[in-house]
Amino acid sequence: MAALLGATAPAGAVAQTVARLAWTACAEGFQCASVRVPVDYSEPRGAGLDLAVVRHPAGDPAHRIGSLFYNPGGPAVPGTAALPLMLDRFPQEVRDRFDIVSFDPRGTGGSAAVQCFDDPADEQALLAGTPAGFPAGAAQQQSWTDAYRRLGRQCATRPLMAHLSTANVARDLDLLRQAVGDRDLTYLGTSYGSYLGATYANLFPGRVRAMVLDSAPDPAAWSTGRDADAGLGPLLRNRSDVAAGRVLDAFLDACGQAGPAGCAFSAGMPAATRARYDELLSRLRDRPVVLGGTAFTEGATVEATIVSLYAPAPVPGVPGTGWAQLGALLQSLWTAGGAPDAPLPPVAHPSPDQALAVVCSDSAPPPADARAASALARARSGAVGPWFAWADERCADWPARDGDRYDGPWNRRTARPILVVANTGDPAMPYEGSQAMARSLGRAGLLTVDGFGHTVLANPSDCAARYEARYLLNGALPRPGTVCMPNQRPFERS
């Protein structure tokens, strides 16, 4: 373990020193270490926490450039788990020339993970009255609001909760940069990880060597809001609901065109397939279906749809991925009988503690009127809209806010330009967000992939990978207006 020898005050990039990391073998081909960082950067010699770190050493040590830091997003996805899963998505020349390094952000995974209840069963009992997806009707909506208000109050009792902003993770990242011995930062962040990268770039602009921001939000919309959207929660301000609605329509159109042989849910034509989806949700609103021990209500089905839109083509090693699999699930729900008149199976809620701890303490809170936000989202985004509105609502009464968070400006001129990459059909981070990110940053270019799916890294494009590799190795941005194609189209057989 490396010991912290110095740190910055929150507002500045004061000279710091950390000990080098002591790596030990862990998973096959990987090495692990830890580094101690301050809990509160305004008191750098106060309480500390240990960050879990992992790396895959460069394949060509003789020509090694340095370390490439990777953050998978989330927020609160542990990098130590994500990097082994995603390593083969990095271009071979990048893996040869860089140690690929990731870490569990503070409050996540092996880095002092936030757990609001001492006994997870107590949290499950609290959330048991909330439905999967989003609430339907006044009673469920009130139960949702009450449960997440109580969760926020419980989480606020944890001392780390007031120090989990993206800005503090960026400060941790700068200490990690020093701990691996790099003078400047080379970085790739996907989804929320792109927001972390933008925050780092504006806190430490002189330390940017190369930075790829894959599928980015509009940074101002995410942190505080812009114009008329300023009163909404972060997902609606970011217009993630609009992106998901567009991609859902694209899925249903492609499914209809593919026919039943290519997409099980196809009604033979795009318009008819859209109508079938609407009718399915209407059925489930009145009478849920139980499949494999899971109750599919309208909200649960919308949630499953949104998640499945992330990867149009099957992801190797991840069962159930791909738009064809989504079509199969929807067709199973279409042909199944309604649930019997008996209590539905209980909903198992993955703990939201770590993700909410970042989002709710890091950005402007949503308004108290979640019903109005849900109606707005449904009107502009269709069936998926309420899911995003009620996801935002979980932060409405969150009591913990990090005073050291960063809300802009976003245009500080970095030592070297930044590369933003994005799919035009991203269902989580709209393409317009990446365009806004590229415009907002002091020095940035945009590489477009004309395809679907959340993040380019998870939905490969050999064309984009070549541009990214050249940029990471040599700093060369693609020409303005460059557009790549994905390796695979939806419902296309590999």
Side-chain angles (χ1 to χ4, degrees), residues 55-406:
R55 77 171 175 182
H56 187 273
D60 184 2
H63 298 95
R64 175 183 174 276
I65 294 173
S67 296
L68 167 61
F69 282 89
Y70 163 60
N71 181 276
V77 173
T80 58
L83 179 57
L85 294 175
M86 297 300 292
L87 181 68
D88 65 352
R89 298 299 178 95
F90 290 79
Q92 184 62 54
E93 56 266 49
V94 172
R95 284 181 275 157
D96 285 343
R97 303 292 300 279
F98 291 95
D99 297 338
I100 313 294
V101 181
S102 194
F103 65 104
D104 296 351
R106 55 172 56 208
T108 300
S111 299
V114 168
Q115 182 176 310
C116 296
F117 287 85
D118 294 332
D119 185 347
D122 292 336
E123 180 169 271
Q124 286 299 309
L126 172 64
L127 299 178
T130 63
F134 58 84
Q140 284 191 3
Q141 290 168 353
Q142 190 61 52
S143 295
W144 182 283
T145 299
D146 291 344
Y148 283 105
R149 180 183 296 119
R150 290 173 58 196
L151 177 63
R153 290 172 180 169
Q154 176 64 27
C155 291
T157 65
R158 296 324 201 212
L160 188 58
M161 197 61 62
H163 304 285
L164 294 176
S165 67
T166 303
N168 276 328
V169 179
R171 295 174 184 117
D172 294 342
L173 180 57
D174 196 57
L175 293 187
L176 285 167
R177 171 192 63 77
Q178 296 177 62
V180 299
D182 284 2
R183 180 181 180 279
D184 300 307
L185 181 75
T186 305
Y187 177 83
L188 189 154
T190 59
S191 189
Y192 164 82
S194 63
Y195 183 72
L196 169 60
T199 301
Y200 181 97
N202 283 278
L203 287 175
F204 305 97
R207 291 299 185 190
V208 174
R209 177 195 168 274
M211 182 173 283
V212 176
L213 305 184
D214 181 347
S215 306
D218 175 338
W222 185 265
S223 57
T224 58
R226 290 181 184 272
D227 303 327
D229 287 344
L232 300 174
L235 291 174
L236 294 192
R237 292 197 305 262
N238 192 53
R239 301 179 74 82
S240 294
D241 60 310
V242 175
R246 284 195 305 237
V247 178
L248 172 58
D249 286 345
F251 159 74
L252 293 170
D253 288 351
C255 179
Q257 291 169 350
C263 177
F265 190 63
S266 175
M269 296 289 289
T273 306
R274 288 199 200 191
R276 176 178 282 190
Y277 186 78
D278 291 341
E279 184 178 344
L280 174 62
L281 294 184
S282 179
R283 286 187 194 177
L284 296 172
R285 196 176 303 135
D286 297 330
R287 195 168 181 81
V289 166
V290 177
L291 288 180
T294 298
F296 283 90
T297 59
E298 176 192 17
T301 303
V302 167
E303 183 170 76
T305 299
I306 292 169
V307 172
S308 296
L309 293 176
Y310 278 33
V315 177
V318 183
T321 54
W323 284 9
Q325 289 298 319
L326 173 58
L329 169 63
L330 295 176
Q331 183 63 13
S332 295
L333 296 174
W334 179 260
T335 57
D341 293 326
L344 295 174
V347 177
H349 292 280
S351 176
D353 297 358
Q354 295 172 21
L356 293 182
V358 176
V359 175
C360 299
S361 67
D362 204 34
S363 62
D369 192 350
R371 293 176 180 86
S374 178
L376 179 151
R378 187 183 285 275
R380 74 185 189 183
S381 308
V384 299
W387 186 92
F388 292 91
W390 287 99
D392 273 346
E393 199 276 339
R394 297 177 298 175
C395 291
D397 294 301
W398 196 266
R401 295 276 286 155
D402 190 336
D404 290 333
R405 68 186 182 277
Y406 185 79

